[in-house]
Amino acid sequence: FGRDWGRRKPFLFVASFLVTISYAMAFAPPASFSAKAQEDSEAWFAANGNTATAPVFNSVASAVWFGIFHIAVKVFSDAIFEIPHGALLVEVTHDGKERTSVWSWREIFLCFGILVGMVVPIIGENECSSSPETGCYSYLMI
């Protein structure tokens, strides 16, 4: 790797794209996995006189799709991003106390960001904020 970027930044740069694409793909399965595709398949089987049941597309295929891209996200984020990111702090400062302070502030802001990300989506929700049965609050318990 070139001296301009150092030893770790190329990995961080590549991982930023791979993790973003993998996250997007995990939550965007093809339309053929949808409930509409399942209904079309069942209608086709019935119209053509097939006595066998139509294959199940939406639940199994979507789960496999999500599983594959979730594994990709974990591989890309853990192996290609987190290892160089954790090692980058050693190159930033050689003082152990300063490294501890920087890493502590990083963790504080990380936890704060996670909490904000959980609370902000329910602010302004009129339809589901009155009833936990709608599922709007269930993700806060995870």
Side-chain angles (χ1 to χ4, degrees):
F1 300 110
R3 293 181 185 256
D4 294 339
W5 279 49
R7 296 186 302 175
R8 313 218 191 291
K9 289 180 186 174
F11 291 106
L12 299 174
F13 181 75
V14 170
S16 67
F17 293 106
L18 293 176
V19 171
T20 303
I21 291 168
S22 297
Y23 264 124
M25 295 296 288
F27 294 104
S32 62
F33 295 167
S34 68
K36 173 83 170 93
Q38 180 69 31
E39 292 169 5
D40 293 344
S41 174
E42 290 170 357
W44 184 85
F45 264 68
N48 289 318
N50 291 326
T51 57
T53 59
V56 177
F57 292 112
N58 57 349
S59 60
V60 175
S62 294
V64 170
W65 178 273
F66 178 77
I68 288 170
F69 283 101
H70 180 71
I71 290 169
V73 166
K74 292 304 291 175
V75 167
F76 294 146
S77 69
D78 289 347
I80 301 177
F81 180 80
E82 285 297 329
I83 294 171
H85 182 259
L88 187 64
L89 189 59
V90 176
E91 295 177 358
V92 171
T93 179
H94 296 290
D95 182 25
K97 289 183 180 181
E98 190 174 4
R99 267 195 311 265
T100 303
S101 175
V102 169
W103 206 259
S104 298
W105 280 107
R106 176 198 175 272
E107 290 295 322
I108 288 169
F109 283 114
L110 178 71
C111 292
F112 181 72
I114 291 170
L115 290 173
V116 167
M118 288 174 27
V119 172
V120 167
I122 63 171
I123 296 174
E125 281 289 332
N126 295 330
E127 298 172 5
C128 66
S129 60
S130 61
S131 168
E133 286 82 22
T134 60
C136 294
Y137 294 124
S138 62
Y139 69 92
L140 289 175
M141 292 183 239
I142 295 176

